[in-house]
Amino acid sequence: MNFIYLIFIYLYTIFILIHLIDSLNILSSLKREVRFTVFEVISVNQTIATVKEAIFKQYYDKQSIFVSAIVHESISKLEATFAVSKCKMHYIDCVNVVSYNIHDVCPKIKFLTQFSDTKTSNSNSVKCPIFGNYDIKNITLDAEKFGTVFSFPTEKWWENYWKFKVILFAEDRIEFARTTLNFYFIEFRSRNNQQKI
């Protein structure tokens, strides 16, 4: 009789352990998503380009950027100054991570936006020469791509606050737009998985 009890306890323990392991699989891995705090695009020279709208919106756990602009003059030689800074919490003690003066931006657009999440964005439609109406929607940052591009492998980049500054120039280094983007990342677990019983 004791032998049957031991087998029963043994099987019950295995059943409980299997259930616990299975319930641990319910917890999805940590996700990181961007949270924008400042996004502004200013038309410095409105004879070249006019920004109608530059905002960010949130849908569920994602925030996306939306830009609507009109480029009045055809620009085939686009130049940019691009700076990335990382800061401590609430944008204090900022340090410049990288600064670029980029000549001939047109063939490099895809490379320069490699850390953005373009799955739901129509930003791939931006090609040179730049001219006409642009309604760019659903641009967001892919957290993991961003972390690999702008930080060291051992750094906890998701704990920093970040600032982007971009200045755009047309031919003859005529400045026509400035962009400021401040953001940080949050970590969470997805609740989409249903618990198994």
Side-chain angles (χ1 to χ4, degrees), residues 51-180:
V51 177
K52 295 190 286 185
E53 183 178 48
I55 59 170
F56 61 89
K57 298 178 186 176
Q58 182 159 342
Y59 298 103
Y60 300 105
D61 61 345
K62 288 215 182 274
Q63 282 189 340
S64 298
I65 290 173
F66 295 79
V67 178
S68 180
I70 302 170
V71 180
H72 307 292
E73 296 180 11
S74 180
I75 302 171
S76 54
K77 286 196 170 182
L78 183 64
E79 295 184 22
T81 300
F82 180 80
V84 180
S85 301
K86 69 178 175 183
C87 311
K88 292 181 182 172
M89 190 173 279
H90 304 297
Y91 306 105
I92 59 169
D93 295 333
C94 296
V95 177
N96 189 26
V97 174
V98 67
S99 294
Y100 295 115
N101 284 323
I102 306 163
H103 303 283
D104 199 14
V105 170
C106 290
K108 302 169 190 161
I109 289 175
K110 189 168 185 174
F111 175 75
L112 295 171
T113 58
Q114 65 180 320
F115 50 85
S116 65
D117 186 353
T118 57
K119 289 177 217 149
T120 57
S121 168
N122 67 342
S123 61
N124 290 334
S125 63
V126 178
K127 294 181 174 69
C128 289
I130 297 173
F131 181 72
N133 292 327
Y134 289 91
D135 288 314
I136 302 170
K137 302 174 183 177
N138 294 330
I139 300 172
T140 191
L141 296 181
D142 183 309
E144 301 309 318
K145 284 182 188 174
F146 174 86
T148 57
V149 171
F150 292 107
S151 63
F152 295 110
T154 57
E155 186 178 12
K156 293 183 178 179
W157 50 267
W158 57 90
E159 293 180 355
N160 294 320
Y161 281 55
W162 296 87
K163 290 183 173 189
F164 278 12
K165 288 192 189 233
V166 180
I167 302 173
L168 297 174
F169 302 94
E171 282 87 355
D172 302 323
R173 293 285 291 178
I174 298 172
E175 181 182 340
F176 70 91
R178 288 176 176 252
T179 301
T180 303

